[in-house]
Amino acid sequence: MVIVVCRYNEDISWLRGECVVYDKKAMGNVGRESETFIQYILHYYEKLPDYVTFLQGNPFDHCPDLWDRLDEYNGGIEVLSNKIVADDINGCPNHCGLPMKPYIDKYIPQIKQNKFVFGAGAQYIVPKENILSKPKAFWQKIHKSHWEDEKAPWILERLWLLIWNMTI
């Protein structure tokens, strides 16, 4: 398992094991964690490890028991935070008014749901096969969305669980 960390200004002395750290400070945190996670997927697409853990620079805000959860992991997609239900296509609760539907229609039309369960902070353990069930072109399109839609990181935060479980 590889841990992929999107760092902005956080202290990452907590890291252990095999890690890939992307430091966003020089870029001004463009695309937040979602751009970083997709950047990793695109770079390692042909040589992904069996499991990838995607984390923010301070994962403990959303997952205080992170190390226990990683030590106890036994497969599948694992949400490493509290699960939240977005009650409508506009991203509520939290960030109501997100342009979810236009984003989905443009970038991920396979998604038909109007309600979403998502992990706060977009932290997950994802098996390689769930990532590879989407072609590289899908990931390139979603990566590009960060420069076309400034709200992409918050929209993707609500869509990750659907994306990880979706096959294209």
Side-chain angles (χ1 to χ4, degrees):
M1 177 185 308
V2 170
I3 296 174
V4 177
V5 177
C6 174
R7 175 185 192 212
Y8 184 55
N9 278 325
E10 301 89 356
D11 174 7
I12 54 171
S13 61
W14 55 268
L15 287 172
R16 67 181 193 200
E18 187 177 350
C19 302
V20 177
V21 177
Y22 290 84
D23 193 335
K24 304 284 279 193
K25 190 171 184 176
M27 291 180 57
N29 207 11
V30 172
R32 302 176 58 89
E33 72 278 341
S34 59
E35 185 277 333
T36 299
F37 299 162
I38 298 169
Q39 186 180 140
Y40 173 85
I41 290 168
L42 289 171
H43 186 80
Y44 292 96
Y45 189 83
E46 288 81 14
K47 53 187 179 264
L48 287 167
D50 290 337
Y51 301 96
V52 182
T53 300
F54 295 103
L55 299 174
Q56 294 185 356
N58 179 8
F60 305 102
D61 285 346
H62 296 291
C63 189
D65 59 344
L66 174 68
W67 293 121
D68 292 337
R69 304 268 303 272
L70 292 177
D71 290 342
E72 295 167 6
Y73 177 72
N74 61 6
I77 297 168
E78 179 84 21
V79 180
L80 298 171
S81 64
N82 293 329
K83 290 182 184 175
I84 298 173
V85 176
D87 291 331
D88 65 29
I89 195 70
N90 297 310
C92 294
N94 310 343
H95 299 292
C96 286
L98 281 175
M100 300 283 292
K101 180 134 178 52
Y103 185 93
I104 290 168
D105 290 347
K106 183 173 182 178
Y107 298 105
I108 318 172
Q110 300 87 345
I111 293 177
K112 304 297 182 199
Q113 288 89 332
N114 289 324
K115 294 185 179 189
F116 308 90
V117 175
F118 66 96
Q123 301 187 129
Y124 295 92
I125 303 173
V126 184
K128 171 172 70 174
E129 57 266 16
N130 291 78
I131 296 169
L132 295 178
S133 68
K134 272 89 43 210
K136 197 170 187 178
F138 169 84
W139 295 113
Q140 290 166 332
K141 183 179 179 181
I142 299 303
H143 190 252
K144 184 179 175 193
S145 78
H146 289 85
W147 285 267
E148 297 173 348
D149 189 331
E150 65 183 17
K151 303 219 180 209
W154 293 275
I155 294 169
L156 286 167
E157 179 181 23
R158 281 142 187 80
L159 300 178
W160 279 124
L161 202 50
L162 291 171
I163 292 169
W164 299 136
N165 282 300
M166 177 173 76
T167 301
I168 297 178

